[in-house]
Amino acid sequence: MEEERALVEMGVEDFDLAGTLSCGQVFHWERRGAGWVGAMGDSAVYLEQKEAKLFLSAGEEDRVRNYLSLDHPWQTIRESFPSDPALDLAVEFCGGMRIIRQPSWECLATFITSSLKRVEQIGKISLRLRRSFGERLECIGGEVFSYPRAEKIAGLREEDLRACGLGFRAKSLLGSARMIAEGQVDLVKVRAMDDEGAMEELRRLPGVGEKVANCGLLFGFERLGAFPIDVWIERVLIEGYFSGESGVSRERLREFTRDYFGRFGGYAQQYLFHHARTTGVRIGRQG
DNA sequence: CTCCAGGTTCCGG
DNA sequence: CCGGAACATGGA
């Protein structure tokens, strides 16, 4: 078919496309047939994996390689991990999953809208914002939409955002977009800061606390040592590393995760998160 | 109908 | 510094 010719093939090693796109680090990729469609920033692309081959929209090879972090040294990362029952299991389950390079604003904005929402809901909010206020793009799998720029959102009203299902998060997203549009926070400068400085700067934005800032740093600024602690990771840590002890303080968890998981701690975190969430380990809940 | 979701912020002790 | 509560919305 005519469309088939617009796909090119790329060899990949130690890579899992489905896991990478659906592990909860990015929320707007949609399944289309045997593959996925979505926007990498302002570029639409179709992606499909068959074993060690990746099929993608022609002309997007370099962007895809970069976006999917195919250059990350997966074996090195894996070997840098400590060995313990919880992490060993998660690494085996998540083999080939990459921390991708998301544009910093859309990553940060998406996580601002993530608080007290399930992963599926975060995706729906992202897609509604994109369809309502983003740019329409086309690729082989159909149409997709880019994430609206901070300047675009800054010009909207809170109720416009609430119409996309944001609830109380609308105020935070709007406030953050305005601070960035006005230049009060410069994400380009954040990129040049050290981890602590970047964290401090991001937390000036409304709706950005420690957890969201860490997600931003890990997924949007390639700080692979950042270790976001959410309710899932907290359970995993307490069950797997603190013998189920109750009342482990935030500070103790922070201190433990800062050194224990090594310089690629963010990778370990995402593997633990995805494994726990996917295998349905739910402590303190029935079912 | 009730409960809860990749949290943040504000408040009182 | 710490624990609690409010905060909107939608799906189970």
Side-chain angles (χ1 to χ4, degrees):
Chain A
M1 289 176 68
E2 197 172 345
E3 285 188 334
E4 296 287 341
R5 283 190 288 119
L7 288 180
V8 294
E9 181 183 319
M10 185 187 287
V12 287
E13 275 183 43
D14 303 317
F15 180 66
D16 172 14
L17 179 67
T20 297
L21 297 182
S22 63
C23 70
Q25 63 175 321
V26 64
F27 305 89
H28 68 281
W29 289 88
E30 302 175 89
R31 291 183 185 277
R32 282 281 198 293
W36 303 76
V37 290
M40 305 177 295
D42 295 322
S43 300
V45 68
Y46 172 85
L47 297 169
E48 179 182 336
Q49 181 172 22
K50 285 178 186 166
E51 296 170 354
K53 289 178 184 172
L54 195 60
F55 298 89
L56 58 136
S57 309
E60 298 296 326
E61 294 91 323
D62 290 344
R63 241 191 299 269
V64 166
R65 245 189 293 272
N66 181 65
Y67 184 81
L68 297 177
S69 302
L70 295 179
D71 56 312
H72 278 178
W74 192 78
Q75 293 295 347
T76 303
I77 290 169
R78 164 184 196 150
E79 287 162 12
S80 77
F81 290 157
S83 178
D84 63 61
L87 188 55
D88 289 349
L89 212 56
V91 170
E92 174 148 7
F93 184 76
C94 300
M97 224 173 73
R98 305 301 170 95
I99 300 295
I100 67 173
R101 295 187 178 97
Q102 299 181 52
S104 51
W105 162 246
E106 67 176 66
C107 174
L108 203 50
T110 302
F111 277 99
I112 286 172
T113 65
S114 77
S115 70
L116 286 184
K117 278 291 177 192
R118 299 185 185 195
V119 168
E120 296 73 20
Q121 279 300 316
I122 301 167
K124 288 184 179 176
I125 289 173
S126 171
L127 290 174
R128 283 188 202 164
L129 285 170
R130 288 168 180 271
R131 290 204 179 91
S132 300
F133 308 115
E135 299 295 322
R136 182 178 179 282
L137 308 167
E138 286 183 33
C139 66
I140 286 177
E143 65 173 21
V144 300
F145 291 83
S146 65
Y147 198 88
R149 298 184 177 288
E151 293 75 11
K152 171 74 175 181
I153 292 178
L156 300 173
R157 297 165 305 174
E158 197 175 312
E159 61 189 273
D160 297 326
L161 297 175
R162 281 180 187 263
C164 294
L166 271 75
F168 63 84
R169 305 156 197 80
K171 191 173 184 179
S172 299
L173 182 60
L174 186 57
S176 289
R178 288 186 173 162
M179 281 184 75
I180 288 170
E182 291 167 7
Q184 295 182 49
V185 169
D186 186 341
L187 298 184
V188 175
K189 288 182 181 170
V190 169
R191 196 163 286 279
M193 297 176 180
D194 60 28
D195 290 356
E196 290 170 15
M199 160 72 73
E200 194 178 341
E201 190 65 8
L202 293 181
R203 289 193 63 170
R204 292 177 53 211
L205 297 166
V208 180
E210 183 178 3
K211 191 270 177 183
V212 170
N214 268 133
C215 286
L217 288 174
L218 176 58
F219 305 127
F221 291 90
E222 205 174 0
R223 305 301 168 97
L224 302 182
F227 199 102
I229 299 177
D230 72 313
V231 291
W232 286 95
I233 287 297
E234 188 174 318
R235 286 181 204 133
V236 170
L237 291 175
I238 292 173
E239 284 299 307
Y241 302 88
F242 289 85
S243 315
E245 190 180 332
S246 63
V248 181
S249 74
R250 220 27 207 311
E251 179 55 30
R252 276 181 74 192
L253 294 179
R254 203 169 4 200
E255 190 181 353
F256 174 69
T257 58
R258 188 173 52 214
D259 300 321
Y260 179 75
F261 292 103
R263 66 187 190 284
F264 295 112
Y267 259 91
Q269 179 276 156
Q270 196 57 17
Y271 287 3
L272 289 169
F273 174 81
H274 183 55
H275 179 249
R277 226 176 60 78
T278 308
T279 56
V281 180
R282 295 187 177 187
I283 300 152
R285 271 185 71 171
Q286 50 184 346

